[in-house]
């Protein structure tokens, strides 16, 4: 597994902890960030993981994604997990990799930025988190797992986000385990076929 992040890396750390359990069907071989100063990189380094930086600034998206693609392939990655990776991936990249993402809402509700504030503004009774497969449309794709929390009358966006984050740390490893155990080899071959040739 390769993990892409842009920030603090708390979901990355949760995935790493899970992967170090004896019976977990995946291991982390690379943590990559588009932000050179992302706190998650330091966490990954402290955990003894291989890290890489691919700064997106000053690069067209195609070149940026080609560099990520080559780094993932060099590390023998089979599946990519997004853990707060704040870049939208192109159809070209999505076609080459099975990608999991976690989002702090009960998709399809509250897509995009600030989903906790969206939930409060809508006045819903519950929110939560969703792990889904990434497609070419942001915050869509087949849902693997959802978990829920009650929205309290006293909640702010920050307090709601904190409770959802605690759920994310449980939910993401569960979804990754589920994906690994249910993934047909045929699908893996399809992604492998998409990567046979180097990008243009």
């Amino acid at each position: 597994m390769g993990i892409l992040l842009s920030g603090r890396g708390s979901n990355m750390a949760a995935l790493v902890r899970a992967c170090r359990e004896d019976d977990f069907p995946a291991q982390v071989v690379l943590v990559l960030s588009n932000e050179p100063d992302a706190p998650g990189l330091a966490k990954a380094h402290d955990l003894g993981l291989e890290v890489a930086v691919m700064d997106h600034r000053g690069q067209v998206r195609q070149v940026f994604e080609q560099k990520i693609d080559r780094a993932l392939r060099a590390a023998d990655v089979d599946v990519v997990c997004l853990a707060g990776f704040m870049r939208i991936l192109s159809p070209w990249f999505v076609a080459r990799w099975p990608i999991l993402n976690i989002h702090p809402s009960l998709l399809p509700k509250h897509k995009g930025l600030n989903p906790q504030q969206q939930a409060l503004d809508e006045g819903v009774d519950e929110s939560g988190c969703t792990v889904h497969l990434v497609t070419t449309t942001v915050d869509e794709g087949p849902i693997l797992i959802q978990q829920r929390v009650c929205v309290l009358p006293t909640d702010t966006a920050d307090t709601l986000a904190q409770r959802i984050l605690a759920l994310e740390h449980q939910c993401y490893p569960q979804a990754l385990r589920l994906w690994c155990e249910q993934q047909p080899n045929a699908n893996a071959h399809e992604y492998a076929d998409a990567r046979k040739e180097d990008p243009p």
Side-chain angles (χ1 to χ4, degrees):
M1 172 177 56
I3 299 177
L4 306 186
L5 58 80
S6 299
R8 60 193 174 189
S10 68
N11 271 309
M12 176 274 298
L15 288 169
V16 172
R17 286 193 297 271
C19 287
R20 289 182 172 175
E21 297 174 3
D22 290 340
D23 64 340
F24 201 86
Q27 62 177 323
V28 180
V29 294
L30 178 67
V31 176
L32 186 150
S33 179
N34 65 307
E35 293 287 351
D37 298 324
L41 285 174
K43 285 184 184 178
H45 183 268
D46 291 344
L47 289 166
L49 299 170
E50 181 180 349
V51 300
V53 175
M54 300 290 172
D55 195 335
H56 63 278
R57 295 170 184 83
Q59 299 187 66
V60 297
R61 184 166 67 169
Q62 181 183 21
V63 173
F64 169 63
E65 289 186 350
Q66 288 170 1
K67 290 181 178 179
I68 295 176
D69 178 77
R70 285 193 289 268
L72 293 171
R73 289 196 290 160
D76 258 347
V77 167
D78 296 310
V79 59
V80 175
C81 288
L82 306 183
F85 186 65
M86 302 305 291
R87 306 299 299 172
I88 295 175
L89 297 168
S90 72
W92 175 83
F93 190 90
V94 170
R96 292 171 75 81
W97 295 97
I99 307 171
L100 278 63
N101 182 51
I102 190 159
H103 184 75
S105 79
L106 297 175
L107 294 175
K109 292 184 177 180
H110 312 139
K111 301 175 184 178
L113 298 175
N114 305 315
Q116 301 91 347
Q117 188 61 54
Q118 292 182 49
L120 295 178
D121 292 345
E122 190 177 320
V124 296
D125 294 328
E126 64 176 10
S127 186
C129 61
T130 303
V131 181
H132 65 99
L133 294 175
V134 172
T135 64
T136 54
T137 304
V138 175
D139 294 333
E140 292 192 8
I143 291 173
L144 298 175
I145 286 180
Q146 289 186 315
Q147 291 189 7
R148 290 168 163 76
V149 295
C150 292
V151 177
L152 305 176
T154 55
D155 264 330
T156 64
D158 286 340
T159 60
L160 181 57
Q162 289 170 12
R163 294 207 312 286
I164 292 174
L165 184 62
L167 276 187
E168 291 178 42
H169 295 165
Q170 302 170 27
C171 194
Y172 213 167
Q174 291 173 12
L176 178 60
R177 178 188 287 275
L178 179 68
W179 186 87
C180 289
E181 292 175 347
Q182 296 185 352
Q183 179 69 11
N185 289 334
N187 285 2
H189 293 157
E190 288 175 12
Y191 289 110
D193 289 343
R195 296 193 297 274
K196 280 184 177 176
E197 295 184 3
D198 286 331

